[in-house]
Amino acid sequence: MNILLDKEYSKKVALLAYPIVLGMISRTIMSLVDAAMVGRLGAVELAAVGLGGHISMLTVYSFGVFNIGIQALISRRFGEGNKDMCGYIVNNIFVFITIIGLSGSILGYFFGPGILYLLADDPAVYSVGKSYVAIRFIEFLSFTVIGIYRGFFDGIGNTKVYMRAMIVMNGLNIVLNYMLIFGNFGFPRLEVPGAAIGSMLSSYAGAFVMIFHSLDKKTRIEYGLYKKLSNDLSIIKKLYTLNFPEMTRVFLSYGGFLIFLKILGMIS
């Protein structure tokens, strides 16, 4: 079997892919930095952040994968040369997804600590981690907004926007963690809640970066963004159909790992 390598095509794929790869690496570094900094506080604090972080990710990431369905819808219209339809899709799902994000943030803030209570066998871990979980759930809205614009920009081939947003998130998270966890530069020493606040604020900074790019005059006019916000149920239905399998996969993946952590907690 002869395998032909189209250098020009491969170059295009690499140019589209590398910003996404860097963005994903940035998120991994963000988690490692959180663990490294909080780990200096003690074993209980590290356990609380580890367990609490996975609880928030279970729901935030399950609903934060809207970008996959949005990208599928956008890229098809972009390939057809129908740029107005790309903007029409975003305009019709923006309100719907934002409502989901806001609802998730509010519900998670009040009920998220209850999930930690069910999973944490050590009372000390729950005591330290309940505020962490509540604050991290506030990220729900920011990640749904990021999902909207990541799907749009990746769909039209501008994958660098997501990379920039993730780099901003990662850099700001390091700075905020350093200030808020340990009380540096005149800020109060908040320890574990400081880590949650740093991550939460960083996620909204990432969402702001993506919104800022969408407000660029050329992009806004070319694709008809924000012309008229509405809810076309046919588009929302397509989005749900495309996203449900990935949402289920993410939920089962993080849910399975949380069960594993629960079993570990029962041992020690």
Side-chain angles (χ1 to χ4, degrees), residues 128-148:
V128 172
K130 59 183 179 180
S131 60
Y132 179 85
V133 173
I135 295 170
R136 287 298 302 270
F137 262 103
I138 301 176
E139 295 178 9
F140 202 108
L141 175 60
S142 64
F143 274 97
T144 52
V145 171
I146 289 173
I148 295 171

Side-chain angles (χ1 to χ4, degrees), residues 14-149:
L15 288 174
L16 286 171
Y18 89 85
I20 298 174
V21 173
L22 291 178
M24 295 176 70
I25 291 174
S26 178
R27 287 308 310 276
T28 302
I29 293 174
M30 189 174 174
S31 299
L32 289 174
V33 168
D34 281 357
M37 289 189 175
V38 172
R40 295 173 62 183
L41 299 175
V44 171
E45 288 81 1
L46 182 59
V49 168
L51 187 56
H54 277 87
I55 290 172
S56 66
M57 286 189 290
L58 171 67
T59 51
V60 170
Y61 284 179
S62 295
F63 287 91
V65 293
F66 279 112
N67 64 286
I68 294 175
I70 296 170
Q71 181 180 343
L73 294 173
I74 296 287
S75 59
R76 177 181 177 183
R77 301 307 177 189
F78 181 77
E80 295 171 349
N82 192 348
K83 294 184 178 180
D84 284 339
M85 189 62 184
C86 294
Y88 179 79
I89 291 171
V90 174
N91 295 341
N92 274 277
I93 62 179
F94 183 85
V95 174
F96 172 72
I97 294 181
T98 301
I99 290 174
I100 290 178
L102 182 60
S103 300
S105 289
I106 295 172
L107 292 173
Y109 180 82
F110 288 105
F111 296 105
I115 303 175
L116 178 64
Y117 179 78
L118 295 175
L119 294 173
D121 289 279
D122 188 337
V125 171
Y126 171 72
S127 178
V128 172
K130 59 183 179 180
S131 60
Y132 179 85
V133 173
I135 295 170
R136 287 298 302 270
F137 262 103
I138 301 176
E139 295 178 9
F140 202 108
L141 175 60
S142 64
F143 274 97
T144 52
V145 171
I146 289 173
I148 295 171
Y149 292 107

Side-chain angles (χ1 to χ4, degrees), residues 39-257:
R40 295 173 62 183
L41 299 175
V44 171
E45 288 81 1
L46 182 59
V49 168
L51 187 56
H54 277 87
I55 290 172
S56 66
M57 286 189 290
L58 171 67
T59 51
V60 170
Y61 284 179
S62 295
F63 287 91
V65 293
F66 279 112
N67 64 286
I68 294 175
I70 296 170
Q71 181 180 343
L73 294 173
I74 296 287
S75 59
R76 177 181 177 183
R77 301 307 177 189
F78 181 77
E80 295 171 349
N82 192 348
K83 294 184 178 180
D84 284 339
M85 189 62 184
C86 294
Y88 179 79
I89 291 171
V90 174
N91 295 341
N92 274 277
I93 62 179
F94 183 85
V95 174
F96 172 72
I97 294 181
T98 301
I99 290 174
I100 290 178
L102 182 60
S103 300
S105 289
I106 295 172
L107 292 173
Y109 180 82
F110 288 105
F111 296 105
I115 303 175
L116 178 64
Y117 179 78
L118 295 175
L119 294 173
D121 289 279
D122 188 337
V125 171
Y126 171 72
S127 178
V128 172
K130 59 183 179 180
S131 60
Y132 179 85
V133 173
I135 295 170
R136 287 298 302 270
F137 262 103
I138 301 176
E139 295 178 9
F140 202 108
L141 175 60
S142 64
F143 274 97
T144 52
V145 171
I146 289 173
I148 295 171
Y149 292 107
R150 182 186 176 186
F152 169 72
F153 283 112
D154 285 0
I156 64 174
N158 189 357
T159 54
K160 291 183 180 179
V161 173
Y162 176 67
M163 177 188 70
R164 292 167 188 155
M166 292 300 101
I167 291 174
V168 168
M169 282 180 59
N170 189 62
L172 185 60
N173 183 61
I174 293 173
V175 174
L176 290 176
N177 275 4
Y178 183 73
M179 293 190 303
L180 297 175
I181 294 175
F182 305 110
N184 292 309
F185 301 124
F187 284 81
R189 182 183 175 93
L190 301 178
E191 298 191 348
V192 171
I197 293 172
S199 297
M200 182 268 293
L201 293 177
S202 299
S203 71
Y204 277 94
F208 175 79
V209 170
M210 305 203 78
I211 292 173
F212 177 78
H213 279 281
S214 75
L215 294 174
D216 174 71
K217 185 176 180 180
K218 183 177 181 299
T219 301
R220 185 164 40 83
I221 294 175
E222 186 176 2
Y223 293 93
L225 290 175
Y226 309 119
K227 273 187 175 180
K228 183 181 179 181
L229 299 179
S230 57
N231 287 306
D232 185 332
L233 293 180
S234 64
I235 291 179
I236 293 173
K237 183 179 179 181
K238 289 179 182 178
L239 179 65
Y240 172 80
T241 302
L242 290 167
N243 268 102
F244 183 75
E246 182 64 12
M247 290 170 64
T248 303
R249 182 196 69 80
V250 173
F251 185 84
L252 292 176
S253 177
Y254 279 103
F257 193 72

